[in-house]
Amino acid sequence: MMKPLALAVSLSLLMPLAGLAPSAARADEVPAPKDVPFNGQLRIEVDATDLNRRIFRVRETIPAQAGRLTLLYPQWLPGKHSPAGPIEKMAGLVITANGQRLPWVRDQFNVYAFHVEVPVGVSEVTAEFQFLSSQGGSQGRVVMTPDMLNLQWDSTSLYPAGYYSRNVQAQACVKLPPGWSYATALTTDTRNGDTVCFKPIRFDDLVDSPMFAGKHYKRIDLDPGAKQPVHLNVFADEAKDLEAKPEHIKAHQALVTQASKLYGARHFDHYEFLLALTDKLGGIGLEHHRSSENSGERGYFTDWDKTWQGRDLLPHEFNHSWNGKYRRGADLATPSFNVPMGDSLLWLYEGQTQFWGHVLAARSGLWSQEQAHDSLALVAGVYDRGRPGLAWRNIQDTTNDPTIASRRSLPFRNYQMSEDYYSGGQMIWLEVDGKLRELSGNKRSIDDFAKAFFGMDNGVWEVNPYTFDDIVATLNGIAPFDWATFLRSRVDGHGPLIGGLEAAGWKLVYTDKPSDAFKAMESERKDANLTYSLGLSASGAGVLGDVRWDGPAFNAGLAPGMTLLGVNGREYSAEALKDAVTTAKDAKTPIELVVKRFDRIETVRIPYFDGLQYPHLERIAGKPDRLAELYKAR
């Protein structure tokens, strides 16, 4: 422990380097954003060539005038719904003016804010720093590999406090590794060798326009001749992964067609799907107004029949151009990236997008009708039996999870719940569709809501916020009803969320045979998922994942993190565990498990006799098939 005298000497040496006393960095000195013009233009230059060390080197020129200047590193990032700006990876900040180094100090109460005193006669300052991207492991998502990179401008830029971010103009440039291709929603201004500069754009739109770059690249036109073109930009670890068959391209082109028919307007001048097929770059699924930012399996094209389950991702992200980017909850439409966002309407923003992601996957042919049914059954099972947490939480409260949990691993996810506004919201909107059809004699549906709520002002991409009352008013304009009570009872309620199935002419059943979707899910996660029988999932090595709260395994004392060593006298395997559940149904004898808890070996007996249980959809006799209508291509 440092002695008090040594500590005092140390602080006296450090403070001149900072240039400002810690007490000067008060939270109330960070200027609030104002809707006033910013004089000048940011110039952001990124060197992205240090692939070995995964370092982005930044040089930024910022217009300034004499006095206090506060620079902000983006904190609240659209699409992440949380204060997720990776400030911990920013390093080496040096600010200069006219060749002289200027001292800076980080705000005491706002670690994303940096204060600097600008001398008289200075009209611009230069900030240089590095973004030390993840090296893997627990450091976060990898964004740079030997074959590709993902440049997100929020991580490589500062901007001046005191202004709406839409009022700050910026020009971005990047130096790429030799010979690499790139794709982004930004418009190229110049390219000299491997240095690319883009045309100036508003800072908020720059942050919303990430880049993929790499060695192996293919660009596919998804709407030839369109006034507002749409392209699929694919990067891959190896060139062979880019080989798409004509029918694969046709399905993606149909996605664009079906989305246009759904909404009747496009809120972009052009749209760029950014898709990385990789097992090296970190996985991502992030929406932007004029692009996606996604990764998929290397076999996305080459193992088409095996990778179908992930093909609702691009439909999901494309929907976000309308729902979430053009229109978003009013509490998400903040004036800058350092004003806290409110997530109260994510059950529309993400929930309805999740709904349309599934529907458009089916309408476009990215999924077959059977695959769409099986995928819906997976979701319905969760909100029928797989979320005991609905007894104490509701969908509305889970809109706080981006800040509460930030997608960290949870001990009992089924009970704690996490971001259930996605799939729980999806089930609510399925029920809304059924109610609209019922009220209108099947003349109106959720398609009408989509067009009325998102389909105005073709070509406009200024943010158009909405409120709960706007949602209710639009629904009432389609089919008058007490929609406020209907919606609030679902998002604030505590029961199962499968009412939309019966309205669609289907019911949820459980059998001892998993669907293809369930088997694909197990294969992807490399686990044995017995959520609806024993109430647990276990990895190939027997390590328990989620254990269903108050289920048979939970009531026998099992918990996540324990390891299954044996099943009914045999060494653990997924097959042995499933065989034991099947045998117990007829034998009516408890299932005997040998488990390891820390350094203790124990025997646990589970008196469960209902056999294997997997969710499926089954038609209700005599009722019209509204799912067939919903999934039919327009």
Side-chain angles (χ1 to χ4, degrees):
M1 183 175 185
M2 187 179 290
K3 296 181 180 179
L5 179 59
L7 176 61
V9 172
S10 176
L11 286 175
S12 69
L13 292 173
L14 286 173
M15 286 173 60
L17 293 177
L20 296 170
S23 61
R26 296 286 301 277
D28 58 4
E29 292 185 13
V30 177
K34 296 180 180 178
D35 193 4
V36 297
F38 175 69
N39 184 25
Q41 178 177 287
L42 307 180
R43 182 173 175 85
I44 302 163
E45 301 169 89
V46 179
D47 185 332
T49 62
D50 194 347
L51 301 178
N52 290 338
R53 290 171 292 223
R54 306 180 193 175
I55 297 172
F56 294 87
R57 303 180 190 278
V58 183
R59 177 183 174 89
E60 182 174 357
T61 304
I62 305 159
Q65 58 186 12
R68 170 66 62 86
L69 172 65
T70 299
L71 298 175
L72 300 174
Y73 190 78
Q75 178 182 16
W76 287 83
L77 304 179
K80 296 187 178 180
H81 319 308
S82 64
I87 189 71
E88 76 283 358
K89 293 181 174 65
M90 179 194 184
L93 177 62
V94 174
I95 299 176
T96 59
N98 294 338
Q100 299 297 312
R101 185 165 176 170
L102 302 181
W104 58 264
V105 67
R106 194 189 302 262
D107 191 271
Q108 183 179 356
F109 302 105
N110 181 350
V111 298
Y112 287 80
F114 301 86
H115 303 291
V116 60
E117 292 293 335
V118 179
V120 174
V122 168
S123 60
E124 64 181 30
V125 301
T126 299
E128 296 183 77
F129 63 91
Q130 301 85 42
F131 179 68
L132 307 180
S133 74
S134 172
Q135 306 294 303
S138 61
Q139 296 173 14
R141 176 176 166 262
V142 171
V143 296
M144 185 180 279
T145 78
D147 301 298
M148 67 177 71
L149 62 83
N150 180 192
L151 173 55
Q152 298 173 313
W153 300 103
D154 59 272
S155 66
T156 57
S157 57
L158 297 164
Y159 71 105
Y163 302 90
Y164 281 21
S165 55
R166 68 168 183 254
N167 292 343
V168 178
Q169 287 286 115
Q171 182 174 35
C173 300
V174 58
K175 183 178 180 182
L176 295 170
W180 277 27
S181 300
Y182 66 93
T184 174
L186 299 174
T187 301
T188 299
D189 188 19
T190 63
R191 178 165 188 170
N192 295 312
D194 294 304
T195 298
V196 182
C197 289
F198 301 99
K199 290 185 177 180
I201 195 170
R202 302 184 313 187
F203 184 69
D204 56 349
D205 293 326
L206 174 67
V207 168
D208 195 44
S209 304
M211 168 192 283
F212 275 6
K215 291 180 181 178
H216 311 298
Y217 169 62
K218 177 178 283 189
R219 181 174 172 85
I220 302 169
D221 191 344
L222 296 185
D223 199 2
K227 182 179 178 181
Q228 297 148 295
V230 181
H231 297 97
L232 175 60
N233 300 275
V234 190
F235 295 83
D237 288 342
E238 296 186 25
K240 64 181 181 180
D241 297 329
L242 298 172
E243 297 305 316
K245 294 180 179 179
E247 57 265 32
H248 304 159
I249 296 173
K250 183 179 178 181
H252 288 86
Q253 290 174 330
L255 166 60
V256 177
T257 300
Q258 291 300 317
S260 294
K261 289 184 176 182
L262 174 64
Y263 292 116
R266 293 182 178 183
H267 301 295
F268 47 77
D269 53 351
H270 68 109
Y271 188 92
E272 307 295 329
F273 284 104
L274 305 181
L275 177 62
L277 305 182
T278 178
D279 53 20
K280 298 176 184 176
L281 196 75
I284 189 168
L286 190 60
E287 67 269 18
H288 300 282
H289 204 145
R290 300 185 300 156
S291 74
S292 72
E293 192 176 10
N294 301 122
S295 58
E297 295 183 55
R298 287 186 54 183
Y300 183 86
F301 292 124
T302 56
D303 287 326
W304 184 257
D305 292 337
K306 296 180 180 179
T307 58
W308 67 267
Q309 198 169 43
R311 287 204 293 271
D312 64 317
L313 179 59
L314 294 187
H316 179 104
E317 304 298 2
F318 195 38
N319 271 284
H320 268 316
S321 183
W322 289 267
N323 182 5
K325 304 309 295 185
Y326 170 59
R327 301 215 70 183
R328 67 188 72 167
D331 52 3
L332 278 171
T334 53
S336 81
F337 299 109
N338 292 71
V339 173
M341 294 176 177
D343 294 336
S344 65
L345 294 172
L346 286 181
W347 49 268
L348 172 64
Y349 178 126
E350 294 289 6
Q352 195 171 121
T353 300
Q354 189 76 359
F355 172 89
W356 286 120
H358 278 216
V359 171
L360 288 188
R363 289 184 185 179
S364 66
L366 287 166
W367 278 354
S368 68
Q369 299 293 303
E370 183 180 0
Q371 288 168 342
H373 288 151
D374 285 351
S375 297
L376 180 58
L378 290 185
V379 179
V382 170
Y383 293 96
D384 177 42
R385 297 184 182 178
R387 278 293 179 271
L390 278 169
W392 73 276
R393 284 193 88 180
N394 54 40
I395 297 300
Q396 182 64 65
D397 189 56
T398 69
T399 64
N400 297 298
D401 281 335
T403 301
I404 292 173
S406 300
R407 299 191 173 176
R408 291 185 291 269
S409 179
L410 299 171
F412 290 93
R413 188 181 187 279
N414 65 89
Y415 187 62
Q416 294 168 276
M417 303 177 61
S418 177
E419 299 188 30
D420 284 83
Y421 51 81
Y422 276 92
S423 296
Q426 174 187 354
M427 296 305 297
I428 291 170
W429 288 106
L430 178 64
E431 191 171 4
V432 169
D433 179 60
K435 193 66 180 179
L436 287 170
R437 293 175 186 272
E438 174 194 325
L439 292 168
S440 65
N442 203 38
K443 294 178 181 178
R444 310 299 295 274
S445 72
I446 196 169
D447 284 64
D448 296 286
F449 176 86
K451 186 162 289 187
F453 202 71
F454 301 107
M456 67 287 287
D457 299 328
N458 181 48
V460 173
W461 44 294
E462 291 288 338
V463 175
N464 182 1
Y466 58 77
T467 65
F468 177 78
D469 289 343
D470 293 329
I471 300 169
V472 170
T474 302
L475 287 168
N476 273 319
I478 298 167
F481 184 62
D482 184 3
W483 287 107
T485 298
F486 181 94
L487 291 173
R488 291 258 58 100
S489 66
R490 273 69 177 174
V491 298
D492 297 336
H494 295 283
L497 295 172
I498 60 170
L501 291 178
E502 183 176 356
W506 293 77
K507 63 182 177 181
L508 184 66
V509 298
Y510 297 84
T511 76
D512 61 359
K513 297 292 188 294
S515 67
D516 287 343
F518 203 98
K519 287 187 284 188
M521 179 181 68
E522 283 189 315
S523 176
E524 179 184 359
R525 298 178 180 178
K526 297 178 174 59
D527 68 1
N529 190 328
L530 280 73
T531 295
Y532 304 111
S533 52
L534 279 186
L536 59 80
S537 63
S539 73
V543 179
L544 295 184
D546 208 15
V547 175
R548 194 177 84 231
W549 192 268
D550 207 26
F554 178 92
N555 291 333
L558 300 188
M562 297 171 62
T563 302
L564 301 182
L565 302 178
V567 183
N568 285 355
R570 297 167 55 194
E571 184 180 11
Y572 167 78
S573 69
E575 292 75 15
L577 183 61
K578 292 176 182 179
D579 288 346
V581 173
T582 299
T583 299
K585 182 177 181 180
D586 295 326
K588 298 295 188 288
T589 55
I591 299 164
E592 186 174 280
L593 302 177
V594 177
V595 301
K596 181 179 180 182
R597 187 197 318 263
F598 293 105
D599 60 350
R600 307 295 174 88
I601 306 297
E602 306 171 17
T603 298
V604 174
R605 293 175 176 82
I606 305 179
Y608 172 77
F609 311 120
D610 289 333
L612 295 171
Q613 301 273 300
Y614 299 104
H616 297 265
L617 296 187
E618 186 177 281
R619 287 281 288 118
I620 300 175
K623 297 200 70 170
D625 185 355
R626 303 303 189 201
L627 280 186
E629 297 175 20
L630 182 65
Y631 292 153
K632 183 180 179 181
R634 284 6 185 195

